[in-house]
């Protein structure tokens, strides 16, 4: 497996080998699916749309509907305005969404199609909406695309209409699973605070089997609520890469205070999330959550010998990796290779700060790829690998216990139905990591060393 | 259950007028009394219709080139195209030397904004240098993506220079996603490149074996071509090259020596099949190794072509032995499947190929179609002279080859060839429509709306298509079977494949979970009880 990857690392500048990111539009498509009765639309050639739908479907095992402008060579040279106008007309007539959320691809971005002008000239039935985000695939990653589409929700929809800000919090959850969005809403609900989450894919990409296909499932942030987000007192952006920019855009547009926190993975980030809610809305943390937290700490202490000192390689999307790295350090683990494919931002310095405090030396890279990660591991082996499905090839090649976390997970079911955020999510992470490590210990133990109790 | 024209009219009636006029020509109700029914195909996709189609890049890199295992496939573009075509099609491969199998690698120039502005040629050249240094592959392909054509990167020139520098074959493919109207354009572009720059590059002048064949348009999804190999090997054939499942640059270079080319997927590889015949005199035979009857028939046609008594005897022996082995295995699955109906909507060949296998299980196909096939795949190759290139496909270059002065030879005498043509599909494909039952529906470029409508009307027992539409029938309580990736199972080809397929389809019918779709409290009355008579 991956026999062609040498341990010897040479400097590369020609591109990526085995990327740890994908391109913007899939993130925008995912975000758009988090609006109720929305049809995402890909303004480019149809291959992108097919790939993005397929990949989201593989991760969620759910239908993912989206339309495309289906560029031909002619449109690629002379512009895609006619294609988009035809598409908007057809989508409203045939599929009747309440809102179309358009994103672009490297094709329409390179051509320079002017979307606001095209949309202005399109036939949009009364009461229906069309919004757009520019999502050039040659900038950033799918996380950037998620952020850009969420920003478009703010630009097009959010309005400050109330004389006084309402006692409600906006939550931009970042690029996380529907289960995580549900868990974040549960935490906020238990704190007794009204919240508006956008985008919100709960009930869309984890919809139940009922015997009836719903093109627009029950879930998704309602347009009216996204509008009302302009009247909230606070926006909490969970993750600086996926959520911060739209929150700050809302602050500028509607004077809603923006606060960026880590994705609430692990105990500290969850504490910070609840503390922020408590601080801004003067509400007590309920006994139920204090109990959950206490259970988590109880488990962390009871099982610390499973985790302490274990060397970990972790890769994935920057917000997820940053928060998880903090949790690993809180368990006394040693994240010695930390990598995201998403370029730029404060990833390297934020990870470095965490590691410095914990006294751990590590390889850290933003904009890296899995070829590099694998080489790091060959030079400095680890006890555990954490990342998306693509990590399984490295795990097999180097015989490393492997925990699947993040996007995409293509080879297991269920993962998108169970959270990794909050105290409950932290318990789940502990179970996944513990199972991986202990199954390995059992497998490798000599007969006389196999333990009944561990 | 068949559809009547009124129902069809009702479905189309929901469309805007222009869309209706267009879609009408892509849908047929099969009526054999009307002979060859014309269908419109391979035309541009209607914007906003929610098509299942992909692009030329997917057809070129994803389908045809990607499976070549000893080649590093560089994707020149932003990261997405490389990422999504990385290990997602299940074209399996194993190599004697694991250092010459690059299928688990995804290599991309990962173009950034500055590359779009200033051009990506230099970065591509650097990546080629890095790939040669790290991997030492037998060859490199470069596949272009959408922005490459627009910014004017000359990938052909970069490839040529790099080939001179490194001394290995480096071949560029201008398969930008917007070319043509679907994956099909990519097949054509890949065929041209392989024919021009790979096939015939080898030194071999004679076939290594009396019964040397190539298998064309077989991508070893889930191990399909290994099963075909097994059968052919047992009969006594030698397979020179597979295009391109578990294929290699090394084997492909000598593909010109085969005495017969077997064409499984007509759509994706008929260009090469045709060119091999023109350039080297090698005829091609349309085969189908999906389904038991089709497999037996294909094997018998091959034996007839070679016309050797011993080969024919051996063919019958292997067939008899295999049938005796698998028939009892199939029996329990047949009992489950008998009398059911299916949809069969797949890319450009399986929409036809799987109908026979379904039939052998007792399942009738009530609707079939293709994403991106051309009229000849529906109506047969007789229709080829009638097909006029339109504005969207005119810019896909046709490669014209001439007989190779040194290597052209007739593999069988001309008279024998003519005689055989009356008996077996030599250099001929009759198309899907001929095999469809009257009253069944044929749909080209089926879209989401039509998928829902046709399911509602026909209520098939199983829906077979791809990943994008797999979970739609599920929500309606209808099993679905992916016929692109086999739901991670396989092989489905050959004799063993038929058993695997039967097992998987039967399993999808009988899982007890279907009984729980409707909660019990929604089935019965709110309150239950007996009214006691007053005393």
């Amino acid at each position: 497996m991956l026999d062609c990857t040498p341990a010897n690392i040479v400097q590369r500048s020609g591109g990526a080998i085995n990327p740890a990111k994908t391109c913007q539009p899939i993130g925008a498509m995912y975000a758009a699916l988090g609006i109720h009765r929305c049809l995402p639309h890909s303004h480019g050639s149809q291959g992108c749309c097919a790939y993005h739908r397929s990949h989201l479907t593989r991760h969620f095992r759910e239908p993912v509907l989206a339309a495309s402008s289906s560029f031909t060579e002619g449109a690629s040279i002379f512009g895609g305005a006619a294609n988009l106008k035809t598409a908007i007309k057809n989508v409203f007539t045939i599929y009747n969404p309440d809102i179309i959320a358009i994103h672009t691809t490297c094709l329409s971005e390179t051509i320079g199609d002017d979307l606001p002008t095209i949309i202005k000239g399109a036939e949009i039935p009364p009461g229906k909406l069309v919004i757009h985000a520019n999502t050039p695939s040659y900038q950033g990653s799918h996380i950037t695309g998620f952020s850009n589409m969420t920003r478009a929700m703010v630009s097009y929809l959010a309005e400050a209409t109330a004389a006084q800000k309402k006692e409600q919090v906006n939550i931009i959850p970042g690029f996380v699973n529907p289960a995580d969005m549900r868990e974040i809403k549960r935490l906020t609900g238990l704190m007794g605070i009204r919240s508006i989450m956008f985008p919100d894919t709960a009930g869309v990409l984890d919809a139940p089997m009922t015997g009836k296909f719903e093109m627009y499932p029950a879930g998704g942030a309602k347009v009216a609520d996204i509008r009302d987000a302009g009247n909230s007192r606070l926006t909490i952006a969970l993750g600086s890469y996926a959520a911060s920019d739209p929150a700050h855009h809302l602050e500028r547009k509607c004077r809603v205070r923006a606060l960026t926190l880590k994705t609430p993975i692990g105990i500290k980030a969850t504490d910070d999330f609840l503390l922020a809610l408590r601080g801004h809305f003067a509400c007590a943390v309920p006994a139920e959550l204090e109990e959950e937290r206490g259970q988590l700490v109880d488990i962390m202490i009871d099982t610390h010998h499973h985790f302490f000192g274990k060397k970990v390689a972790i890769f994935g999307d920057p917000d997820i990796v940053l928060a998880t790295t903090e949790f690993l350090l809180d368990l006394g683990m040693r994240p010695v290779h930390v990598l995201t494919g998403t370029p730029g931002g404060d990833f390297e310095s934020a990870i470095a700060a965490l590691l410095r405090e914990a006294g751990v030396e590590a390889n850290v890279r933003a904009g890296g790829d899995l070829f590099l990660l694998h080489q790091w591991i060959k030079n400095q082996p680890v006890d555990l690998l954490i990342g998306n499905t693509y990590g399984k090839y490295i795990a097999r090649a180097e015989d490393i216990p492997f925990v699947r976390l993040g996007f995409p997970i293509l080879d297991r079911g269920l993962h998108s139905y169970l959270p990794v955020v909050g105290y409950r999510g932290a318990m789940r992470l502990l179970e996944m990591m513990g199972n991986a490590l202990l199954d390995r210990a059992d497998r490798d133990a000599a007969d006389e060393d196999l333990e009944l109790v561990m | 259950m068949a559809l009547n024209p009124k129902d069809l009219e009702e479905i189309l009636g929901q469309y805007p007028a222009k869309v209706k006029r267009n879609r009408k020509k892509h849908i047929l109700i099969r009526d054999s009394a009307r002979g060859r029914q014309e269908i419109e195909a391979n035309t541009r996709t209607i914007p906003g219709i929610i098509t299942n189609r992909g692009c030329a890049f997917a057809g070129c890199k994803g389908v045809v080139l990607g499976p070549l295992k000893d080649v590093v496939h560089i994707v020149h573009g932003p990261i997405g195209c490389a990422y999504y075509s990385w290990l997602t099609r299940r074209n399996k491969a194993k190599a004697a030397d694991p250092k010459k199998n690059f299928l688990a690698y995804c290599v991309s120039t990962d173009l950034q904004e500055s590359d779009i502005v200033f051009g990506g040629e230099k970065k591509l050249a650097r990546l080629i240098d890095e790939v040669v240094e790290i991997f030492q592959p037998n060859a490199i392909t470069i596949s272009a993506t959408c922005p490459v054509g627009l910014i004017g990167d000359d990938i052909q020139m970069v490839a040529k220079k790099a080939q001179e520098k490194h001394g290995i074959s480096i071949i560029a493919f201008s398969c930008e996603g917007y070319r043509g109207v679907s994956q099909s354009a990519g097949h054509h572009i890949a065929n041209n490149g392989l024919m021009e720059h790979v096939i015939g590059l080898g030194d071999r002048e004679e076939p290594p074996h009396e019964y040397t064949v190539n298998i064309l348009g077989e991508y070893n999804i889930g191990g399909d071509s290994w099963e075909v190999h097994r059968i052919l090997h047992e009969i006594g054939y030698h397979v020179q090259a597979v295009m391109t499942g578990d294929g290699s640059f090394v084997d492909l270079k000598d593909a010109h020596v085969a005495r017969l080319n077997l064409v499984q997927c007509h759509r994706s590889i008929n260009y090469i099949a045709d060119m091999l015949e023109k350039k080297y005199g090698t005829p091609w035979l349309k085969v189908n190794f999906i389904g038991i009857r089709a497999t037996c028939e294909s094997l018998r046609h091959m034996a007839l072509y070679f016309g050797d008594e011993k080969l024919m005897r051996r063919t019958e022996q292997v067939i008899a032995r295999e049938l005796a082995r698998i028939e009892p295995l199939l029996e329990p699955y047949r009992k489950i499947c008998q009398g059911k109906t299916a949809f069969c909507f797949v890319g450009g060949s399986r929409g036809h190929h799987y109908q026979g296998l379904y039939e052998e299980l007792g399942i009738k196909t009530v609707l079939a179609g293709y994403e991106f096939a051309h009229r000849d795949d529906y109506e047969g190759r007789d229709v080829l002279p009638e097909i006029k290139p339109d504005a969207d496909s005119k810019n896909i270059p046709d490669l014209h080859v001439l007989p190779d002065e040194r290597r052209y030879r007739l593999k069988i005498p001309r008279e024998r060839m003519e005689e055989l043509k009356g008996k077996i599909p030599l250099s001929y494909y009759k198309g899907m429509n001929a095999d469809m039952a009257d009253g069944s529906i044929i749909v080209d470029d089926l879209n989401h709306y039509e998928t829902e409508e046709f399911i509602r009307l026909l209520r098939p027992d199983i829906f077979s298509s791809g990943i994008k539409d797999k979970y739609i029938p599920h929500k309606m309580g209808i099993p679905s079977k992916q016929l692109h990736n086999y739901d991670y199972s396989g092989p489905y080809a050959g004799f063993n494949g038929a058993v695997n397929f039967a097992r998987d389809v039967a399993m999808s019918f009988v899982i007890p979970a279907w009984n729980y779709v409707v909660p019990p409290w929604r089935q019965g009355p709110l309150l239950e009880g007996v009214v006691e008579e007053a005393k």
Side-chain angles (χ1 to χ4, degrees):
Chain A
M1 186 50 61
L2 299 177
D3 295 281
C4 314
T5 304
N8 179 36
I9 299 173
V10 295
Q11 198 66 37
R12 286 181 283 124
S13 64
I17 305 177
N18 298 355
K21 66 167 179 187
T22 181
C23 63
Q24 282 208 38
I26 194 171
M29 186 182 283
Y30 180 56
L33 290 164
I35 305 175
H36 183 59
R37 289 193 60 80
C38 174
L39 190 74
H41 182 90
S42 170
H43 185 52
S45 65
Q46 68 211 9
C48 312
C49 187
Y51 274 144
H52 298 144
R53 289 178 62 201
S54 297
H55 233 59
L56 289 170
T57 297
R58 290 178 183 121
H59 177 83
F60 294 106
R61 294 175 200 248
E62 287 292 315
V64 171
L65 274 300
S68 166
S69 296
S70 294
F71 273 53
T72 56
E73 188 153 5
S76 306
I77 293 161
F78 302 111
N83 289 55
L84 185 53
K85 284 179 192 166
T86 307
I88 289 172
K89 183 179 177 197
N90 286 340
V91 164
F92 279 124
T93 316
I94 303 165
Y95 295 113
N96 193 33
D98 289 350
I99 174 169
I100 299 175
I102 304 168
H103 61 261
T104 56
T105 69
C106 46
L107 178 55
S108 50
E109 286 294 329
T110 304
I111 299 169
D113 268 354
D114 177 8
L115 263 69
T117 307
I118 302 172
I119 293 168
K120 243 177 239 152
E123 277 179 57
I124 301 169
K128 302 284 181 178
L129 293 165
V130 176
I131 68 173
H132 95 280
N134 292 94
T135 52
S137 313
Y138 44 75
Q139 272 177 1
S141 73
H142 56 298
I143 298 301
T144 322
F146 180 92
S147 172
N148 285 344
M149 180 51 82
T150 308
R151 181 195 172 99
M153 295 174 199
V154 171
S155 300
Y156 275 90
L157 303 173
E159 283 172 357
T161 50
Q164 267 201 322
K165 292 299 179 198
K166 295 184 186 173
E167 283 300 301
Q168 63 192 22
V169 63
N170 303 325
I171 297 177
I172 303 177
F175 198 131
V176 293
N177 278 327
D180 299 313
M181 299 185 186
R182 282 179 194 271
E183 180 65 6
I184 293 164
K185 285 189 287 186
R186 186 183 72 93
L187 295 176
T188 318
L190 285 171
M191 293 290 286
I193 302 163
R194 181 182 136 74
S195 65
I196 295 171
M197 178 176 282
F198 68 93
D200 179 5
T201 56
V204 179
L205 288 163
D206 58 359
M209 176 81 84
T210 59
K212 193 165 177 283
F213 169 74
E214 300 285 356
M215 180 147 176
Y216 306 107
K222 304 251 183 353
V223 167
D225 287 335
I226 303 176
R227 281 199 206 288
D228 194 37
N231 296 322
S232 300
R233 212 151 62 68
L234 176 73
T235 304
I236 296 181
L238 295 172
S240 65
Y241 282 79
S244 199
D245 175 61
H248 282 95
H249 188 51
L250 183 58
E251 186 170 66
R252 282 187 298 273
K253 185 181 174 191
C254 300
R255 298 165 51 105
V256 178
R257 189 167 167 209
L259 176 67
T260 302
L261 298 175
K262 285 199 187 82
T263 305
I265 294 174
I267 187 156
K268 171 101 180 7
T270 306
D271 284 351
D272 288 347
F273 177 61
L274 296 184
L275 278 175
L277 291 173
R278 176 176 170 269
H280 283 88
F281 292 90
C283 52
V285 177
E288 192 176 339
L289 288 179
E290 199 164 317
E291 185 184 37
E292 277 177 25
R293 186 181 182 280
Q295 290 170 330
L296 172 62
V297 179
D298 192 62
I299 298 165
M300 286 168 69
I301 291 167
D302 293 349
T303 60
H304 71 274
H305 58 292
H306 296 167
F307 302 104
F308 190 85
K310 293 283 191 292
K311 289 196 290 286
V312 187
I314 178 169
F315 72 93
D317 300 333
D319 297 330
I320 308 291
V321 171
L322 178 66
T324 309
T325 299
E326 185 177 57
F327 187 42
L328 298 176
L329 291 168
D330 281 336
L331 294 166
M333 301 178 91
R334 301 172 63 79
V336 294
H337 310 303
V338 184
L339 181 140
T340 183
T342 297
D346 59 356
F347 181 80
E348 290 185 4
S349 58
I351 297 279
L354 287 175
L355 294 170
R356 204 168 34 244
E357 202 178 314
V360 176
E361 292 259 328
N363 291 310
V364 182
R365 182 70 59 91
D369 57 29
L370 298 187
F371 190 80
L372 175 67
L373 182 77
H374 190 181
Q375 292 184 309
W376 282 347
I377 292 172
K378 278 181 181 287
N379 288 293
Q380 190 184 348
V382 293
D383 303 303
L384 184 68
L385 175 66
I386 301 175
N388 66 28
T389 285
Y390 295 92
K392 88 168 171 187
Y393 291 81
I394 298 174
R396 182 178 166 101
E398 304 302 327
D399 198 23
I400 313 167
F402 178 44
V403 166
R404 287 165 178 78
L405 174 70
F407 176 85
I409 294 173
L410 309 170
D411 59 338
R412 296 291 187 271
L414 197 64
H415 56 86
S416 58
Y417 292 82
L418 297 172
V420 295
V421 300
Y423 302 125
R424 290 271 180 84
M427 289 182 206
R428 179 165 169 249
L429 270 177
L430 276 180
E431 188 182 24
M432 290 196 294
M433 292 194 294
N435 286 348
L437 290 166
L438 299 177
D439 280 348
R440 178 56 53 94
D442 285 344
R443 191 197 79 177
D444 291 350
D447 280 359
E448 62 275 23
D449 292 329
L450 189 68
E451 296 287 344
L452 176 72
V453 185
M454 289 173 92
Chain B
M1 187 170 70
L3 191 78
N4 68 52
K6 216 183 88 232
D7 293 328
L8 186 57
E9 194 57 36
E10 229 166 77
I11 290 176
L12 294 169
Q14 302 296 310
Y15 280 133
K18 210 171 143 193
V19 175
K20 181 181 172 180
R21 277 200 302 280
N22 179 319
R23 288 304 302 158
K24 214 176 165 153
K25 293 181 263 182
H26 295 261
I27 304 173
L28 281 184
I29 299 175
R30 178 74 181 131
D31 180 358
S32 55
R34 295 170 63 184
R36 201 190 80 205
Q37 290 169 282
E38 189 176 325
I39 190 162
E40 193 163 277
N42 189 35
T43 57
R44 64 172 64 170
T45 314
I46 299 168
I49 199 83
I50 311 191
T51 178
N52 269 328
R53 282 174 166 181
C55 65
F57 165 83
C60 179
K61 190 272 178 181
V63 173
V64 181
L65 304 178
L68 291 170
K69 62 191 170 190
D70 58 344
V71 178
V72 169
H73 304 286
I74 292 178
V75 179
H76 187 40
I79 201 67
C81 310
Y83 191 84
Y84 304 114
S85 57
W86 177 21
L87 294 166
T88 43
R89 267 174 68 84
R90 302 179 56 238
N91 41 257
K92 288 174 179 268
K94 56 184 171 216
D97 177 1
K99 292 206 173 211
K100 286 285 184 242
N101 183 349
F102 305 107
L103 289 203
Y105 291 89
C106 167
V107 183
S108 165
T109 46
D110 186 17
L111 292 184
Q112 300 298 306
E113 188 163 29
S114 58
D115 303 316
I116 300 296
V117 176
F118 300 109
E121 289 175 5
K122 287 197 181 119
K123 196 175 190 188
L124 174 59
R126 285 204 302 277
L127 183 59
I128 295 170
D129 293 346
E130 289 165 8
V131 161
V132 171
E133 187 190 340
I134 294 169
F135 295 118
Q136 290 130 32
N138 289 343
I140 293 173
T141 69
I142 300 158
S143 293
T145 62
C146 286
V148 169
L150 299 175
I151 63 175
D153 272 2
D154 187 348
I155 59 169
Q156 304 292 344
M157 190 267 297
V158 176
K160 194 161 161 268
K161 280 191 180 163
Q163 176 161 323
E164 282 161 15
K165 179 175 174 184
H166 294 294
I168 58 168
S169 286
I170 299 177
I171 312 153
F173 294 82
S174 297
C175 54
E176 285 87 348
Y178 55 75
R179 294 206 191 272
V181 300
S182 68
Q183 289 94 311
S184 179
H187 301 150
H188 198 161
I189 291 162
N191 275 230
N192 290 352
L194 293 179
M195 191 66 201
E196 208 172 357
H197 299 292
V198 182
I199 296 168
L201 214 58
D203 301 327
R204 222 179 248 290
E205 297 303 331
E206 293 303 324
H209 185 280
E210 201 179 352
Y211 309 122
T212 298
V213 298
N214 294 321
I215 309 176
L216 273 59
E218 166 52 64
Y219 303 101
N220 201 27
I221 304 297
D224 274 356
S225 80
W226 290 332
E227 166 69 356
V228 174
H229 255 266
R230 178 186 72 84
I231 300 164
L232 296 186
H233 181 79
E234 283 183 24
I235 293 173
Y237 291 100
H238 174 80
V239 177
Q240 167 60 40
V242 184
M243 296 179 202
T244 49
D246 194 27
S248 69
F249 176 76
V250 169
D251 294 337
L252 203 54
K253 281 195 303 183
D254 285 315
H256 58 278
V257 300
R259 292 186 60 202
L260 177 66
N261 290 316
L262 310 174
V263 170
Q264 172 71 30
C265 171
H266 175 260
R267 183 66 267 135
S268 68
I269 213 80
N270 77 89
Y271 314 96
I272 283 181
D274 228 24
M275 289 188 278
L276 284 174
E277 184 160 14
K278 284 201 183 93
K279 189 168 178 182
Y280 301 110
T282 323
W284 61 271
L285 178 72
K286 178 70 186 81
V287 292
N288 177 17
F289 291 110
I290 302 296
I292 302 157
R293 242 170 300 171
T295 299
C296 296
E297 191 180 73
S298 296
L299 294 174
R300 287 179 176 129
H301 288 171
M302 288 172 67
L304 204 61
Y305 170 85
F306 283 100
D308 180 306
E309 280 296 326
K310 208 177 96 212
L311 199 63
M312 287 184 192
R313 213 165 41 240
R314 185 68 194 145
T315 299
E316 293 306 328
Q317 278 169 358
V318 169
I319 288 175
R321 193 201 61 202
E322 291 288 315
L323 290 183
R325 183 174 64 84
I326 66 164
E327 279 301 328
L329 300 175
L330 284 168
E331 214 32 56
Y333 304 132
R334 282 205 176 110
K335 285 201 181 97
I336 295 166
C337 296
Q338 195 63 44
K340 294 195 158 41
T341 59
F343 270 30
C344 206
F345 182 79
V346 208
S349 82
R350 293 180 196 165
H352 182 194
H353 292 148
Y354 274 80
Q355 292 187 34
L357 182 50
Y358 267 134
E359 198 184 324
E360 283 159 358
L361 299 176
I363 299 173
K364 193 177 146 206
T365 300
V366 290
L367 179 148
Y370 297 124
E371 285 174 37
F372 51 74
H374 300 193
R375 278 182 62 199
D376 42 322
D377 304 294
Y378 289 101
E379 299 173 49
R381 279 180 76 91
D382 301 316
V383 80
L384 279 173
E386 285 178 31
I387 302 176
K388 299 276 173 287
D390 67 4
D392 296 318
S393 47
K394 247 192 281 191
N395 32 33
I396 313 301
D398 260 320
L399 183 63
H400 293 286
V401 295
L402 295 169
D404 187 293
E405 284 177 22
R406 200 155 48 86
R407 285 168 163 172
Y408 183 92
R409 59 206 61 161
L410 287 177
K411 303 297 190 284
I412 54 171
R414 226 176 267 286
E415 317 77 73
R416 170 101 180 115
M417 180 87 177
E418 288 314 310
E419 183 202 330
L420 279 172
K421 275 188 175 172
K423 296 178 186 159
I424 61 176
L426 257 192
S427 309
Y428 182 72
Y429 176 44
K430 69 175 172 179
M432 176 182 82
N433 296 8
D435 280 343
M436 302 256 331
D438 281 349
S440 55
I441 316 295
I442 297 164
V443 191
D444 177 67
D445 189 16
L446 181 76
N447 56 55
H448 174 75
Y449 165 73
E450 289 163 13
T451 299
E452 269 198 72
E453 290 297 301
F454 283 126
I455 289 179
R456 189 175 53 77
L457 271 171
L458 301 170
R459 293 304 299 183
D461 295 297
I462 190 161
F463 178 88
S464 44
S465 179
I467 185 68
K468 293 189 290 292
D469 43 9
K470 175 179 178 72
Y471 299 106
I472 291 159
H474 272 198
K475 293 281 189 221
M476 305 174 184
I478 295 169
S480 75
K481 175 83 243 159
Q482 293 183 69
L483 286 187
H484 294 272
N485 69 24
Y486 303 165
D487 293 300
Y488 326 105
S489 179
Y492 283 169
F495 299 107
N496 289 331
V499 179
N500 292 339
F501 183 76
R503 178 201 60 215
D504 292 349
V505 168
M507 165 173 78
S508 74
F509 288 135
V510 298
I511 48 163
W514 290 123
N515 302 327
Y516 294 95
V517 171
V518 182
W521 51 87
R522 285 190 183 263
Q523 289 165 335
L526 191 59
L527 286 172
E528 271 178 275
V530 285
V531 181
E532 276 183 43
E533 276 177 47
K535 290 218 167 114

